[in-house]
Amino acid sequence: MSINKETVKISYSSIICTEHTRIEGDVTIGLKNVIHPTAKIIAECGPIIIGDYNLIEENVTIINKTPGIIMMIGNHNVFEVGANIQTPQIGDHNVMESKCHVGLRTRITNGCVIGAMCNINYDEILAENTVIYGSRCERRLQHEKPSVQLSQIEFLGKILPNYQRIEKPNYRLPSTTATTIQSPTNTTNT
């Protein structure tokens, strides 16, 4: 386990399994997230802010390699086993399937699915509800966002503490930060 409690902020009710899990740098983890063993979240070149109700499975790597940019991950996202994520922007209700790779240049909006083993790193912002699939990373649009994993998160929140060492929360999100995390794709004019 490698979690620096001085720089990693874990909000109330998130389940962070500590077995072989590595969380380094300025990382803020929102409410009701589940992070499985062997996941890596590394704020190498800038902070990482993870919203609420995200599911991060085994061997997922989330790394901020963009200097001076805050990596923003929204709410209700699923990162399946072995996904490798480097994009600095992920909206809400997305699924990153097993062993996919999302590079620095691609931005993910809302309701997108990156298929198993797909490797994308194009200089683009994916349209909402884009599905990338197959060995040639083909694309289509779906009509509905991926389903929310609330029941799975609730179940894992009850079961995992019985079988895993869980890192204790050490942070309470201010209410203004919570609303900022909910919509990382929105910008405000001042």
Side-chain angles (χ1 to χ4, degrees):
M1 173 194 72
S2 172
I3 298 176
N4 185 339
K5 295 177 187 177
E6 293 176 15
T7 59
V8 175
K9 299 173 208 76
I10 303 168
S11 295
Y12 173 73
S13 71
S14 282
I15 302 293
I16 315 298
C17 298
T18 59
E19 185 177 337
H20 304 290
T21 299
R22 188 171 146 206
I23 304 176
E24 296 177 359
D26 185 359
V27 177
T28 302
I29 300 169
L31 300 171
K32 292 273 191 176
N33 289 287
V34 174
I35 300 176
H36 285 257
T38 68
K40 294 182 199 111
I41 302 172
I42 303 167
E44 183 176 294
C45 294
I48 298 174
I49 298 177
I50 299 173
D52 304 331
Y53 297 97
N54 293 291
L55 177 58
I56 300 172
E57 295 182 351
E58 293 88 348
N59 293 316
V60 167
T61 299
I62 297 173
I63 185 166
N64 186 351
K65 290 188 170 190
T66 310
I69 299 290
I70 298 173
M71 177 186 267
M72 299 289 292
I73 297 174
N75 304 314
H76 300 284
N77 295 296
V78 176
F79 300 88
E80 293 182 356
V81 175
N84 184 313
I85 309 301
Q86 297 177 9
T87 178
Q89 179 183 323
I90 297 177
D92 301 330
H93 301 282
N94 298 291
V95 177
M96 311 299 152
E97 291 186 351
S98 296
K99 298 184 180 179
C100 74
H101 174 82
V102 181
L104 296 168
R105 298 175 6 191
T106 303
R107 306 296 189 264
I108 310 291
T109 55
N110 301 310
C112 297
V113 177
I114 310 302
M117 304 284 292
C118 287
N119 184 348
I120 59 170
N121 191 23
Y122 310 109
D123 192 12
E124 69 177 317
I125 298 172
L126 288 182
E128 288 198 9
N129 300 332
T130 297
V131 177
I132 297 178
Y133 64 97
S135 60
R136 294 183 299 189
C137 295
E138 297 175 65
R139 296 169 184 236
R140 68 177 176 82
L141 290 178
Q142 61 184 349
H143 297 289
E144 298 177 6
K145 288 180 173 49
S147 61
V148 176
Q149 300 293 320
L150 286 178
S151 60
Q152 185 177 7
I153 288 172
E154 292 294 328
F155 175 75
L156 290 169
K158 292 176 185 172
I159 294 298
L160 284 175
N162 295 327
Y163 300 99
Q164 295 286 326
R165 186 177 173 288
I166 304 299
E167 190 62 38
K168 292 185 173 144
N170 61 0
Y171 183 69
R172 185 173 294 269
L173 282 171
S175 59
T176 55
T177 304
T179 57
T180 304
I181 290 173
Q182 289 176 0
S183 31
T185 57
N186 294 341
T187 56
T188 56
N189 296 329
T190 52

